[in-house]
Amino acid sequence: MSDAVRTIAERVRTRVLRDGVDLAGAGDLAARYAHEEVRRYSERALTGTHAALADELGTTHEVVAELTGYGALQPFFDDETVEEIWINGPARVLSS
């Protein structure tokens, strides 16, 4: 997970706690919160506060996966062509 995703996910968690909502039962609320925080992050990047994001949509998906899914493994679960996931270490995942 990149520093940007970690920072944005933490901001979303803080907002969720502050607002007192349950992301599991709120449908697309996690995606909306993530999208809003990604936009804020990108706006700060324009002022030089953060490094710019290469892919806002991809970052939004990563944040949502981190908050409501299986983090870095979520894309493998979402891919219908993946039949097996092998975790061979903390930084090595293979799929077939």
Side-chain angles (χ1 to χ4, degrees), residues 12-60:
V12 173
R13 284 185 189 101
T14 301
R15 186 173 172 193
V16 166
L17 289 172
R18 184 187 67 225
D19 293 352
V21 296
D22 177 15
L23 293 181
D28 66 341
L29 187 60
R32 190 179 73 189
Y33 276 22
H35 175 72
E36 290 170 2
E37 291 302 326
V38 165
R39 296 293 298 162
R40 284 187 186 105
Y41 187 95
S42 291
E43 289 170 3
R44 283 192 224 72
L46 294 174
T47 65
T49 307
H50 300 293
L53 297 172
D55 179 11
E56 286 186 13
L57 183 59
T59 302
T60 300

Side-chain angles (χ1 to χ4, degrees):
M1 172 180 9
S2 70
D3 288 338
V5 170
R6 188 175 293 112
T7 299
I8 295 166
E10 188 57 37
R11 288 185 180 150
V12 173
R13 284 185 189 101
T14 301
R15 186 173 172 193
V16 166
L17 289 172
R18 184 187 67 225
D19 293 352
V21 296
D22 177 15
L23 293 181
D28 66 341
L29 187 60
R32 190 179 73 189
Y33 276 22
H35 175 72
E36 290 170 2
E37 291 302 326
V38 165
R39 296 293 298 162
R40 284 187 186 105
Y41 187 95
S42 291
E43 289 170 3
R44 283 192 224 72
L46 294 174
T47 65
T49 307
H50 300 293
L53 297 172
D55 179 11
E56 286 186 13
L57 183 59
T59 302
T60 300
H61 289 303
E62 286 183 59
V63 171
V64 171
E66 184 65 29
L67 296 170
T68 63
Y70 292 99
L73 295 176
Q74 192 61 48
F76 296 108
F77 288 114
D78 294 340
D79 186 344
E80 293 179 10
T81 64
V82 172
E83 294 179 12
E84 293 180 322
I85 302 171
W86 302 326
I87 301 172
N88 297 328
R92 188 162 179 229
V93 177
L94 303 172
S95 66
S96 66

